[in-house]
Every structure is written in structure tokens, then in C-alpha cells.
Amino acid sequence: MEKPFVYADNAATTNVSDNALNTMLPYLKEQYGNPSSIYTLGMDAAKAVLNARRQVAEALGAARPSEIFFTSGGSEADNLAIKSAAEFGAKNGKRHIITTNIEHHAILHTCEYLENHGFEVTYLPADEDGIVSAEQVENAIREDTAIVSVMAINNEIGSILPIEEIGAVCRKKGVLFHTDAVQAIGHQHFDLKNMNIDMLSLSGHKFHSPKGVGALYVRTGTPLESLIHGGAQERGKRAGTENVAGIAAMGVAISDAVECIDERNIRLAKMRDRLIDGILSGIPYSRLNGGRERRSAGNVNISFRGIEGESLILALDIKGIAASSGSACTSGSIDPSHVLTAIGLNEELAKGSLRLTLGDGNTDEDIDYILEVLPETIKRLRSMSPMWQRICREEGIPDYTV
Ligand SMILES: *Cc1c(COP(=O)(O)O)cnc(C)c1O
């Protein structure tokens, strides 16, 4: 029998769909022109970029394609949005930024950079479900607030933040609102011409286009300052020869992603719930991180007492399961996830977390397989874990692994 392989890390990245791949291939081979060239080969490439811009605008319900600026991905889009707003804000004496303490590092580290350059940042604390309210945002807005940035869906715990309400508050107060919607494309409906969102980041590789391509939506009338200077590409806002193949692929991938949002969410939520219920009932001393309401359809994040996340990921890899953990090994030391600690987990639980994120490629058989492998893997790791044995001893828990 072939060794099973279950990919359960769709929040980290996704495979390129056949449709996206077939769309991009001609631009790597015979249609390799530079979109800035005026002969036919170049104009054909320019047409592909234009067409993708229309597709992205349409998928998001943007008022016009010119509101879409292609970037190298989600991180660049986040940087562009925040740094541009900061620069314009500073010109008007506005040096205050509002965000949350559960954002992706592309936002948090950009804010830290700006703090070192004379800006003040308010990090709104998420509650234990990973939600930040519009009221929190409203109370934090000041005269000198340049931008509010709140993510649409958290990448670790799948919490769905109330960005429509937050946008409405920002509009009322006349403050720019940006959302990192990288995890929301294909899971949430956007109709940007009727929403109070001024800027929105997305990344192609989270919805079946290649890595290294993304976009920033910028509502008409919103000032935008360039980060990358050079040629006049992207209406002078983002220099550099366009990633034509990647952009073309992302155009079809986002059209595909928004075509069946409701069906996808229903299918994924069923698998997610079976996984959550199966793990919580089948594995003692496990807990769900984040709430069950307002949770993205494919996200499972569970902590196990007495478990070290990275060992669990490696043990699951041997069994053919690709997943991730909230503990990230940064330069040799294992740091617990900032999101899990933000929602109140102690270091032990944050480090003992497992994130399984489901996508279009997953099946009911994948869930069966995870539910078969995970309990025995946790039991085996615990039986070898001094941390687990200490917990049993100190808390008087009977050790079921012996
Ligand atoms: C993946 C991700 C990003 C970064 O996108 P890249 O294209 O990998 O740079 C930013 N924000 C969130 C929420 C993400 O999940």
C-alpha cells in the first residue's frame, strides 16, 4: 500500500491549481514579452496583466480594476499599505497607528519598524476567541490616527474579525482602514464598492496560485506612496517588471476561489467539526484554541498538555501528515506563538499546539486518517515526555500512557 499523505497546512500555502498552472504556462514559454514593450509580444503580456487586474477587481467587488496594485505577495501588500498610510499621515501630523496583537508578522513587524521611526502604535488586545471589537477600535481612535489595520481572518486560530463594523467606525471617524484579508479570499464574500474598506491585502499562494504574487486593493481617492522605486509599472506605485505568469495565474485562481465560497465553507466546516470533536473526545488533556463561533471553515487549532509542538509536527510528518504548530523555532530557541499567548494561553499550552488547516484537496478519508494517527502519536510522545510525567505527578493526574 502506498504511504498516505495528508496535506493539512492550507493556511501556510496551497498547491497551484491546474487552471492556474495552465493559464501561466504560455507566459513562461512563447508569450514571454515584457508588458512595457510596445510590440505585439509585449502588448500580449500587458493584456494578460490587464485581464488579471479585471478578474481580481471583479472577485472583490471593487469599483474599478485600477484599484488593484500587484505586489510580490501578502507581506509586500501589508508593508505598502501601512508604510504608505504612515507617510501620508506624518505629512498631516498624524503619527498614530492602530492594529491588533494577533496580526501576521507582516503587519506587526512593519508597525515595530515604524515605532522606531517616530510613530506610536496601539495594539488592541484580542479576547480569548481571537476577536477585536469595533468598539475597541472606536475607543482607540485619536485625532492623530493615520490608519487602522485589522485582519479579516486570523491565520493561526481562524478567528473571523468584524471588519465590516470596524470599517464603518473608521469611516465615521474619517480614518483610513486597511485589512489583511490574506486568509479570507475564497472563504468570505467581498463587495468592496459597498464596504468601508480603504485598502485590502491578498496573497495568491493562499488560494491556489503560485508563491510570490499578491495584490493590494486601494480604494479610489486613497493616497498611495510607492515603496519600490524605479519604472512606471503599476501606475508608478510599484516599480519592477510584472510577474506576468504569476499575475495571470492569480487572476483565474481568484475567480475560481470566489465562485463557490458557500459550498466550500459548508464542506470544510463539516470536516473541521468532525476533526475538532474527534480530537477533543479522543485525546485527554486537549483544548481548542479560539472560539467555535466566528471560526474560519478549515481551521483547527488544538493544544495538548505535556507535548512539544515541534516534536509533534515531526512525528506526524513521519506518518505522512503535514501540519503546523504555534511554536516557531526562531534562531535556535522555540518561541510560543504571539497569537496563542495573546488569547491567554500559558507558555506550555502555546508550545503544545497543533494547527490543521483544511482546503479544497482534503477529503473525509483525510479526517479519518488524522483521527486514527493523532491519538496514538500524542500518547507515544507523552509516554516519553518528562514534561507530561511532571504534570501527572504535580497535578495528581493518572498517567494513561503507562
Ligand atoms: C500568509 C500570510 C501573509 C503573508 O503573505 P505572503 O504572500 O506569504 O507574503 C500575510 N498575512 C496573513 C494573514 C497570511 O496568512
Side-chain angles (χ1 to χ4, degrees), residues 83-95 119 144-146:
K83 288 176 182 165
S84 169
E87 197 163 324
F88 273 96
K91 285 179 189 162
N92 300 311
K94 296 182 176 183
R95 294 186 153 265
F119 289 83
D144 63 341
T145 304

Side-chain angles (χ1 to χ4, degrees), residues 11-12 72-76 78 104 106 151 153 155 180 182-183 203 205-206 213:
S72 65
S75 299
E76 188 190 325
D78 284 344
H104 190 273
M151 71 200 318
I153 293 181
N155 46 305
D180 174 340
V182 171
Q183 292 291 339
S203 172
H205 74 100
K206 305 288 173 80
V213 62

Side-chain angles (χ1 to χ4, degrees), residues 17-26:
S17 68
D18 289 343
N19 204 6
L21 182 66
N22 292 331
T23 302
M24 73 189 291
L25 283 178

Side-chain angles (χ1 to χ4, degrees), residues 66-382:
S66 61
E67 297 179 319
I68 306 302
F69 294 84
F70 292 117
T71 66
S72 65
S75 299
E76 188 190 325
D78 284 344
N79 271 261
L80 180 56
I82 304 291
K83 288 176 182 165
S84 169
E87 197 163 324
F88 273 96
K91 285 179 189 162
N92 300 311
K94 296 182 176 183
R95 294 186 153 265
H96 178 231
I97 295 166
I98 298 172
T99 187
T100 78
N101 63 356
I102 58 165
E103 298 294 313
H104 190 273
H105 282 139
I107 294 290
L108 291 180
H109 289 168
T110 300
C111 286
E112 279 168 31
Y113 167 84
L114 289 168
E115 281 180 295
N116 291 327
H117 287 77
F119 289 83
E120 193 186 326
V121 181
T122 299
Y123 299 92
L124 296 173
D127 68 13
E128 62 174 15
D129 289 343
I131 306 292
V132 169
S133 71
E135 196 186 349
Q136 280 175 282
V137 172
E138 183 156 20
N139 292 336
I141 291 177
R142 313 191 313 211
E143 283 286 300
D144 63 341
T145 304
I147 186 169
V148 171
S149 180
V150 176
M151 71 200 318
I153 293 181
N154 182 269
N155 46 305
E156 292 194 38
I157 54 173
S159 52
I160 301 172
L161 288 93
I163 54 166
E164 289 205 54
E165 289 94 315
I166 291 171
V169 160
C170 293
R171 182 59 50 88
K172 187 176 78 181
K173 299 264 189 174
V175 178
L176 277 184
F177 178 53
H178 165 260
T179 186
D180 174 340
V182 171
Q183 292 291 339
I185 305 301
H187 296 280
Q188 253 175 18
H189 296 276
F190 286 96
D191 183 25
L192 291 173
K193 60 186 157 320
N194 296 313
M195 291 170 90
N196 296 307
I197 294 171
D198 298 305
M199 292 191 275
L200 174 146
S201 301
L202 59 89
S203 172
H205 74 100
K206 305 288 173 80
F207 54 87
H208 304 287
S209 21
K211 292 155 190 63
V213 62
L216 181 68
Y217 156 84
V218 183
R219 174 186 291 281
T220 303
T222 306
L224 186 66
E225 188 63 64
S226 180
L227 276 194
I228 300 180
H229 304 275
Q233 292 91 352
E234 300 299 294
R235 290 167 312 290
K237 299 302 183 186
R238 202 280 186 178
T241 303
E242 297 88 338
N243 174 3
V244 179
I247 288 169
M250 189 168 74
V252 300
I254 198 168
S255 306
D256 290 346
V258 300
E259 206 168 82
C260 46
I261 290 175
D262 297 325
E263 295 87 331
R264 174 180 300 113
N265 282 341
I266 289 169
R267 201 179 83 85
L268 294 182
K270 247 187 219 150
M271 291 195 285
R272 171 200 65 192
D273 291 342
R274 196 155 73 82
L275 204 43
I276 292 175
D277 293 335
I279 294 172
L280 294 181
S281 65
I283 304 177
Y285 299 97
S286 55
R287 57 154 273 166
L288 180 69
N289 298 320
R292 288 199 78 145
E293 312 281 312
R294 300 195 68 99
R295 187 178 196 102
S296 184
N299 179 287
V300 175
N301 191 314
I302 290 185
S303 284
F304 304 97
R305 297 209 61 191
I307 288 286
E308 200 278 294
E310 294 216 318
S311 317
L312 176 58
I313 298 312
L314 297 176
L316 290 175
D317 184 35
I318 291 168
K319 295 286 187 180
I321 298 172
S324 77
S325 170
S327 63
C329 186
T330 7
S331 60
S333 75
I334 296 176
D335 286 330
S337 142
H338 69 280
V339 174
L340 297 180
T341 47
I343 64 167
L345 270 69
N346 63 26
E347 192 170 321
E348 181 215 328
L349 282 173
K351 284 184 175 176
S353 70
L354 172 68
R355 181 186 73 175
L356 300 158
T357 45
L358 308 172
D360 287 344
N362 291 114
T363 61
D364 284 326
E365 288 70 43
D366 292 349
I367 308 303
D368 293 337
Y369 183 65
I370 296 170
L371 288 176
E372 177 194 317
V373 166
L374 193 56
E376 64 194 33
T377 304
I378 296 283
K379 189 173 176 185
R380 189 171 53 78
L381 290 174
R382 278 176 172 165

